[in-house]
Amino acid sequence: MERTLATYHLGHAPIELARLTLQAELLRPITERLLRSAGLAPGMRVLEIGCGAGDVSFLAADLVGPQGRVVGIDRAPEAIQHATERARSGGLRNVTFYKGGPDIPLSGEEPFDFLIGRYVLVHQQDPVGFMRLATANLRPGGTLAFHEPDSSLIAPSRPPIPIYDAFNAQYHSATQTALAGKEAAFRLAAIFADCGLVSSEGFCERLVGLENSDLFFLWRATSYLAFKSGLYPDQATSDAAQLAADLQTAVRTVHGQVFGPDQWCLWAKLPA
């Protein structure tokens, strides 16, 4: 079991929960396309595994409506408390958060129609074992959907921007030692197959930073500092803002295009 379930490398301090919310704002359109494409519909019961700050659960709650139900689980009590407070302040009554993982049965909960995980397998040493545990929470015919980043590639800037390319190489180096499941994104179909499932549909999108893409550069800078230094609280906010500004200025100078990691989104259904 210890090999199957990994500890989240970046922790759950308030500054990391804030970074996750920033990341969620950028990723929301892609995850929403995944949920809709995979068949999430009003009235469904949804489980999010590794919910963090709760943003994917909130997105799913919007899609299933008041007649549906969303449960988010995470092993970090700090994350559960934070997500619960956000749900309460937002008046969301169809979302509940629990401390736990896919290996811990949810007391009193019926099997779910739909399971979503975003940026979860990338942190697992054993993504197949993790996914097998996750499927136990679904009813027959239920859907699993995963949104994972491919951090294995270093995409060049266009036209070449030396400052950004150097940053991108450093970012890549920082993540390679931190991400236990860094190959999960481009092995999603194989992971499904190893769990006895066949993913017949999916898509991949590439995040692009342009000269006015403020959110993109702040996310890249903040995430780099998180992986590199663990988000040291006294300087992280100002350091991330300065790094983002420097990168964005370099791109603006040449009206360039830069790339973030590919976003792989696949889904599969359990046998009915």
Side-chain angles (χ1 to χ4, degrees):
M1 191 66 67
E2 292 181 357
R3 181 175 179 271
T4 299
L5 302 175
T7 300
Y8 182 59
H9 175 77
L10 299 178
H12 292 85
I15 195 166
E16 170 59 11
L17 293 173
R19 186 193 72 85
L20 290 175
T21 300
L22 172 71
Q23 176 175 276
E25 184 179 352
L26 186 68
L27 298 179
R28 179 185 172 102
I30 301 174
T31 305
E32 182 170 350
R33 280 190 282 278
L34 168 61
L35 294 175
R36 292 184 182 277
S37 298
L40 187 64
M44 282 187 171
R45 290 173 46 80
V46 182
L47 176 65
E48 183 196 0
I49 293 186
C51 64
D55 291 277
V56 174
S57 291
F58 300 146
L59 171 57
D62 289 342
L63 298 179
V64 300
Q67 302 305 314
R69 173 167 166 74
V70 179
V71 172
I73 59 173
D74 198 289
R75 290 189 171 278
E78 306 94 328
I80 295 303
Q81 180 179 353
H82 181 70
T84 299
E85 291 173 353
R86 293 180 69 198
R88 185 182 299 115
S89 65
L92 295 175
R93 299 185 177 182
N94 61 342
V95 184
T96 305
F97 295 99
Y98 295 112
K99 179 180 179 295
D103 58 318
I104 302 174
L106 290 169
S107 177
E109 293 287 349
E110 299 177 4
F112 293 87
D113 304 305
F114 198 104
L115 182 145
I116 175 68
R118 183 172 76 185
Y119 281 40
V120 175
L121 298 180
V122 71
H123 295 286
Q124 306 302 318
Q125 293 180 350
D126 182 11
V128 173
F130 184 92
M131 188 177 288
R132 284 174 176 163
L133 290 172
T135 60
N137 295 280
L138 282 173
R139 64 167 177 79
T143 299
L144 295 90
F146 283 87
H147 174 173
E148 297 292 335
D150 182 358
S151 299
S152 66
L153 302 176
I154 306 178
S157 55
R158 293 287 186 267
I161 305 171
I163 292 176
Y164 187 85
D165 289 344
F167 160 80
N168 215 22
Q170 293 169 0
Y171 189 111
H172 179 266
S173 177
T175 59
Q176 294 312 287
T177 56
L179 298 176
K182 55 183 176 291
E183 297 182 353
F186 61 80
R187 292 193 64 255
L188 271 176
I191 293 170
F192 278 127
D194 287 344
C195 293
L197 306 170
V198 176
S199 179
S200 58
E201 296 184 77
F203 61 87
C204 179
E205 297 190 15
R206 174 166 287 180
L207 294 169
V208 176
L210 305 174
E211 58 187 80
N212 291 323
S213 303
D214 299 4
L215 180 61
F216 174 90
F217 290 106
L218 184 57
W219 170 65
R220 291 289 280 169
T222 305
S223 298
Y224 168 69
L225 290 178
F227 283 108
K228 180 175 180 289
S229 61
L231 283 173
Y232 40 99
D234 293 339
Q235 292 182 257
T237 301
S238 60
D239 285 0
Q242 184 60 58
L243 177 57
D246 291 345
L247 295 172
Q248 192 167 1
T249 297
V251 171
R252 182 177 290 119
T253 299
V254 297
H255 305 293
Q257 305 165 194
V258 297
F259 307 100
D262 288 347
Q263 308 292 308
W264 284 91
C265 298
L266 275 69
W267 61 94
K269 287 184 176 294
L270 267 63

